[in-house]
Amino acid sequence: MLNLYCWARSRFYSLRNEKGATAVEYGIMVALIAIAIIATVFAVGQGLDGLFQTVEEALDGTPGAPVVP
């Protein structure tokens, strides 16, 4: 009976420790993914802003605006 108790205690104790470490690892992964998404959206947004600015100037007929064929 004591052997079963020791086995169960060690089994549940190790699971509890692994779950805590896994939660921290998932938290770090989620934070890194969020940072990557924010950086990508910012970079793409800057590129699109420049593109729309060029199109707007071309449609307005502003002098010095590039001619879009």
Side-chain angles (χ1 to χ4, degrees):
M1 184 69 173
L2 183 61
N3 191 17
L4 178 63
Y5 171 75
C6 291
W7 175 82
R9 182 175 173 214
S10 67
R11 178 73 176 151
F12 290 121
Y13 182 73
S14 67
L15 285 176
R16 183 178 59 180
N17 286 341
E18 290 174 9
K19 286 183 181 178
T22 303
V24 171
E25 291 167 359
Y26 281 133
I28 291 171
M29 283 192 321
V30 167
L32 291 175
I33 290 170
I35 290 170
I37 289 172
I38 290 169
T40 303
V41 167
F42 183 74
V44 169
Q46 292 293 327
L48 284 176
D49 188 39
L51 176 66
F52 284 125
Q53 205 58 272
T54 303
V55 170
E56 180 183 4
E57 290 172 358
L59 290 175
D60 285 344
T62 307
V67 177
V68 179

